[in-house]
Amino acid sequence: MTSQNPDLAAAFAALYREVGVLYGAISRRFGLTVQQVELLCLLSDRRPSFGELAGLLGCDKTNVTGMVDRLARRGFIARETDPDDRRITRAVLTDEGAAMREKFRSALATELEARVPRANRARLVALITDSVTALAATR
């Protein structure tokens, strides 16, 4: 299979790589892994089951259990039994977890503001948002 637009694929691969490096550096400042930060950010507006978290993070459910265990020990996440199905455990962000998520987001925003040229930022945000929406819709 040949790519219809190798420049698009190369651009996304480069963006993924650079954002990953930035996420990693900032995560380490807070003593977290990139996936732990991603998990905290995913809990902003939802209470997913461990299986749902695994799907959202693109990893195995056993990895999620370990991450939740470590984040729970630090007070960032709590486990909650699903009221409709007591067999399901949901991950819930604590106040401490929400504060850590905001510290991470603030540090990321500061780094991006310092590194990304000001020209066309609004257009860039719109393009990235459209791309994320399109990619998520086809997941």
Side-chain angles (χ1 to χ4, degrees):
M1 178 179 186
T2 58
S3 176
Q4 298 295 322
N5 192 340
D7 292 339
L8 179 65
F12 269 99
L15 178 62
Y16 174 79
R17 193 171 43 253
E18 294 306 319
V19 170
V21 168
L22 190 55
Y23 257 66
I26 297 169
S27 297
R28 284 188 297 278
R29 283 187 218 160
F30 296 110
L32 297 168
T33 66
V34 171
Q35 277 200 314
Q36 287 172 330
V37 167
E38 288 175 353
L39 195 154
L40 291 176
C41 290
L42 283 172
L43 297 181
S44 293
D45 58 352
R46 54 181 84 139
R47 296 173 179 273
S49 69
F50 287 23
E52 291 165 343
L53 270 175
L56 291 166
L57 291 168
C59 67
D60 190 75
K61 189 175 168 182
T62 58
N63 292 0
V64 169
T65 301
M67 279 192 287
V68 169
D69 286 344
R70 287 183 288 282
L71 290 169
R73 278 194 296 272
R74 292 182 66 179
F76 298 147
I77 291 179
R79 287 179 169 80
E80 204 174 75
T81 302
D82 187 298
D84 297 326
D85 187 343
R86 300 197 57 77
R87 295 170 296 172
I88 298 173
T89 300
R90 300 199 171 273
V92 180
L93 199 61
T94 64
D95 290 342
E96 293 85 359
M100 177 56 73
R101 181 195 62 215
E102 292 313 311
K103 286 179 190 176
F104 176 83
R105 286 181 174 171
S106 177
L108 179 62
T110 298
E111 291 290 339
L112 290 171
E113 288 287 329
R115 297 175 186 217
V116 175
R118 285 197 180 281
N120 298 316
R121 268 193 199 164
R123 185 168 167 240
L124 178 61
V125 168
L127 291 169
I128 291 171
T129 301
D130 287 349
S131 296
V132 168
T133 300
L135 290 167
T138 59
R139 188 178 314 155

